[in-house]
Amino acid sequence: MHGWIGKLLRVDLTSGKIAVEALDPALARQYIGARGLGTKLMYDEVDPRVDPLSPENKIMFVSGPLTGTFAPAAGRYNVVTKGPLTGTIAASNSGGNWGPELKFAGYDLVIVEGKAASPVYLWIQDDKVEIRDARHLWGQQVPETTEALYAETAADAKVACIGPAGENLSMIAAIMNDMHRAAGRTGVGAVMGSKNLKAIVVRGTGAVTVADKAAFVDAVSRISKMLKNSPGTGYSLRIYGTDANINPMNAVGGLPTANFQESHFPTADKVSGETLAATLLQRTKSCFSCVISCGRVTKVTNPKYKSEGEGPEYETAWCFGPDCAVDDLDAVTKANYLCNEMGLDTISMGSTVACAMEMFQRGIITLKDTEGLRLEFGNAEAMVEAVRLTGLGQGFGKKLQLGSWRLASLYGHPELSMTAKKQEMAAYEPRAAQGIGLEYATSNRGGCHVRGFTVGVEVLSRGATMDKNATEGKAALLVGVQNGTAALDATGACLLSSGGMGPAQYAELMTTATGVPYDVAGYLKTGERIWNLERLWNLKAGLTAADDTLPPRMLNEPIPNGPSKGAVNRLQEMLPEYYSLRGWGPDGVPTPEKLSELALNA
């Protein structure tokens, strides 16, 4: 095989058995890899009704066929499992260098089963694979764990690990690789912690071959130039990072503020990418084989928050900034560092703090509940302390680590959780951009912007633009974007590259890398197959069309002020058309005809 290595590694932590298996070429062609292949294997091997934190759940680390090649921005892998935060199928995407290293070691994916009797880590060095004792690492934060594993294995190894949050089974725990890259969403870090698996360390000396080297080199050269010449991928993301979105979203009244009570933050520029670049930025940083360089290496010199690391990105700057009504960039950046060190999803963490702040504002929780933590909107010091306590599982952090839906439900107010399918929504106000509201509601892993980034067309002007306030055409737009994103995620390429290239370019890279002919229609059909298989998983897990919804505030409470004043999300104007275009019945279930078309068996 080309692009694909053709092998998977299966590790049973209960028995200690390690096996190498051949990758089925037919499955690889049908589901590509990463998110797609992992979902198919989960569907075939795991009961969707499984307790996500039980030994019966599996967790898969899956690369794509472009991962580890020199295709632009092809450094991604997906962690696929049942997510404890949502109960949905989870495919949490991460960059850096860990995914390519797995390919270099000779594997397309690792499937981890069972549960170790005590903490362990997995050491993969080409064809030498060991389960090693990690009791001395349990309780360590991500940087200390990573450095210790370098010393125990190889200085140039790549480490994916959990911090204290994952060990404590926090519903919002992330898996961190290369210290600063996160597979963050749906609580995948807790699944790793539930298996007593502290880390997977990889060192490989092999390479990824491509089917037509000359054609692949030519395609990479042309497409890299496209990315460099694009205003988004060639300038904005490189100069300001993803945090460049703060000011444009705020300008249209689309920046969720104070737990989505408002949609415009007057001092948003203080936490923007422009301000970050002018103050804390030390240098930019790229993931494997990336020409975009959106990563931010930063340093805070303020004695109160003195530290250094990477980030924040846009979502992080928003959730610890405007969503908590905080405009202190030093505090926001410190909160970001703490999440990386503790192994926490920044979006869910910041949004959970914002939810707690609104409950504090309304008198639903008091200083007695928070154990003295004054969680008032705008209180930067309390926000940072809340993150630290959550990561360590101490004080009020024991409740914050549940995520905002469970936290708010404890106090009888789940409506104050800004979630879809129990996962915190991202930094795009669904009342101000109708399409992104439909995306949050229908996303197969809960409130998520990157499964169908319609706001790129609705607000950020990537390609053709559509009226952000209109519902007409948004269902069709979203179906297309969701299918394209599912296919893109499966390749191992980074979603941000779609700001400068499209399905034709991904199909060309796939064809020249793997030797399997992909045209645009076939490539997008694969994405549709992946999307529908995820839907089937969720239906079998017990989710229904009733879960395709938004928080009541988004549907019933007009934005009170700012550029989008008076807007609500008109989900019911879009959802029936979305189901119809998907080939699903009014109950949100794929029809037999659609399943037959996609070669899926329910």
Side-chain angles (χ1 to χ4, degrees):
M1 299 176 77
H2 297 286
W4 299 284
I5 299 298
K7 293 191 298 182
L8 66 87
L9 183 65
R10 189 180 297 271
V11 179
D12 187 328
L13 294 177
T14 301
S15 66
K17 181 180 178 182
I18 298 170
V20 178
E21 301 174 12
L23 176 64
D24 183 343
L27 281 187
R29 289 192 295 271
Q30 195 172 22
Y31 293 95
I32 299 180
R35 173 181 165 188
L37 183 60
T39 297
K40 173 59 175 172
L41 291 170
M42 281 291 294
Y43 190 85
D44 289 349
E45 297 188 11
V46 179
D47 183 346
R49 296 166 297 180
V50 71
D51 178 346
L53 299 181
S54 71
E56 289 72 33
N57 193 16
K58 298 183 183 183
I59 186 167
M60 305 183 182
F61 299 75
V62 196
S63 69
L66 295 183
T67 307
T69 69
F70 54 93
R76 312 294 292 193
Y77 75 99
N78 274 232
V79 178
V80 187
T81 186
K82 182 176 183 178
L85 181 67
T86 59
T88 65
I89 187 73
S92 194
N93 196 319
S94 185
N97 294 281
W98 192 92
E101 197 73 18
L102 181 65
K103 296 278 290 285
F104 302 155
Y107 310 98
D108 292 294
L109 66 147
V110 180
I111 300 175
V112 180
E113 307 171 345
K115 178 181 180 178
S118 60
V120 298
Y121 72 90
L122 188 63
W123 168 222
I124 304 169
Q125 188 176 25
D126 293 329
D127 58 359
K128 182 181 179 182
V129 183
E130 302 174 63
I131 300 173
R132 291 186 171 184
D133 186 10
R135 285 175 292 181
H136 60 297
L137 299 172
W138 208 251
Q140 297 297 308
Q141 296 180 19
V142 170
E144 291 78 14
T145 298
T146 303
E147 292 292 350
L149 289 170
Y150 288 156
E152 292 182 24
T153 57
D156 54 353
K158 305 299 181 287
V159 177
C161 69
I162 55 172
E167 297 172 359
N168 294 332
L169 307 185
S170 168
M171 294 292 102
I172 57 175
I175 296 171
M176 305 299 301
N177 61 270
D178 306 301
M179 281 203 214
H180 308 288
R181 299 292 95 198
R185 308 242 64 194
T186 69
V188 294
V191 178
M192 203 164 159
S194 74
K195 296 184 176 302
N196 277 331
L197 180 61
K198 180 65 174 178
I200 301 180
V201 189
V202 184
R203 177 68 180 97
T205 58
V208 182
T209 64
V210 296
D212 188 334
K213 186 174 181 179
F216 186 73
V217 168
D218 178 66
V220 168
S221 177
R222 286 184 284 103
I223 294 168
S224 295
K225 289 178 182 177
M226 290 175 62
L227 293 173
K228 291 177 181 178
N229 291 332
S230 165
T233 54
Y235 179 78
S236 179
L237 286 171
R238 179 172 55 84
I239 301 300
Y240 301 120
T242 58
D243 199 17
N245 288 346
I246 283 276
N247 284 326
M249 290 307 301
N250 198 47
V252 301
L255 188 67
T257 298
N259 198 37
F260 287 75
Q261 293 183 80
E262 301 179 23
S263 68
H264 181 266
F265 191 48
T267 53
D269 184 60
K270 290 186 177 182
V271 296
S272 69
E274 292 86 345
T275 299
L276 183 72
T279 55
L280 306 184
L281 182 67
Q282 303 298 298
R283 60 184 176 86
T284 63
K285 185 175 180 179
S286 294
C287 294
F288 181 89
S289 188
C290 185
V291 298
I292 300 173
S293 300
C294 73
R296 311 285 95 180
V297 177
T298 50
K299 184 176 182 179
V300 178
T301 58
N302 180 343
K304 187 185 299 183
Y305 304 117
K306 188 174 182 180
S307 49
E308 55 188 292
E310 291 186 28
E313 297 183 76
Y314 169 59
E315 309 296 335
T316 308
W318 157 75
C319 67
F320 292 123
D323 203 34
C324 291
V326 169
D327 63 8
D328 184 336
L329 184 58
D330 289 345
V332 167
T333 304
K334 177 62 176 180
N336 173 80
Y337 294 160
L338 285 171
C339 285
N340 289 350
E341 292 160 8
M342 303 288 186
L344 286 163
D345 172 28
T346 58
I347 297 176
S348 285
M349 181 72 257
S351 296
T352 300
V353 174
C355 176
M357 286 179 166
E358 183 172 356
M359 290 196 292
F360 194 90
Q361 177 190 56
R362 294 178 181 273
I364 297 166
I365 59 175
T366 66
L367 288 172
K368 181 179 179 181
D369 297 292
T370 65
E371 301 186 31
L373 194 62
R374 191 169 292 278
L375 285 173
E376 297 170 329
F377 281 116
N379 189 336
E381 291 186 29
M383 179 271 290
V384 172
E385 178 64 4
V387 176
R388 188 186 72 83
L389 291 171
T390 304
L392 295 174
Q394 298 176 354
F396 191 59
K398 292 178 182 177
K399 293 182 179 178
L400 291 170
Q401 72 176 0
L402 299 172
S404 66
W405 188 86
R406 289 172 177 83
L407 172 70
S409 296
L410 280 176
Y411 294 93
H413 289 276
E415 75 280 1
L416 298 183
S417 167
M418 296 300 110
T419 54
K421 298 182 179 73
K422 302 179 184 177
Q423 177 164 258
E424 288 71 20
M425 299 183 298
Y428 307 91
E429 167 62 72
R431 293 173 291 185
Q434 296 296 317
I436 202 66
L438 181 63
E439 156 58 13
Y440 290 150
T442 60
S443 171
N444 285 332
R445 67 171 185 177
C448 174
H449 61 299
V450 294
R451 292 295 176 88
F453 194 61
T454 61
V455 76
V457 173
E458 293 178 292
V459 177
L460 299 174
S461 299
R462 295 173 186 169
T465 58
M466 296 178 72
D467 180 359
K468 68 183 182 66
N469 299 311
T471 57
E472 294 81 7
K474 295 301 172 65
L477 169 67
L478 180 61
V479 168
V481 176
Q482 287 176 337
N483 291 347
T485 301
L488 189 164
D489 285 346
T491 69
C494 176
L495 177 62
L496 293 181
S497 64
S498 65
M501 56 190 282
Q505 285 74 44
Y506 295 115
E508 182 180 8
L509 289 169
M510 282 292 299
T511 298
T512 54
T514 67
V516 177
Y518 287 92
D519 57 17
V520 170
Y523 170 81
L524 294 175
K525 183 64 70 175
T526 302
E528 185 181 9
R529 181 179 301 114
I530 294 166
W531 188 269
N532 277 267
L533 188 63
E534 291 171 337
R535 182 70 174 190
L536 291 177
W537 165 281
N538 287 344
L539 291 169
K540 289 188 173 186
L543 280 77
T544 70
D547 295 297
D548 294 335
T549 191
L550 295 170
R553 174 172 292 162
M554 302 298 100
L555 304 174
N556 304 319
E557 298 179 22
I559 292 174
N561 51 49
S564 292
K565 181 179 179 179
V568 295
N569 187 272
R570 306 193 302 280
L571 179 64
Q572 290 307 318
E573 295 180 20
M574 301 178 284
L575 194 57
E577 181 185 6
Y578 174 87
Y579 286 169
S580 177
L581 291 172
R582 277 261 170 236
W584 299 352
D587 56 357
V589 176
T591 63
E593 292 78 12
K594 175 55 67 174
L595 296 180
S596 177
E597 174 192 327
L598 297 173
L600 291 172
N601 296 315

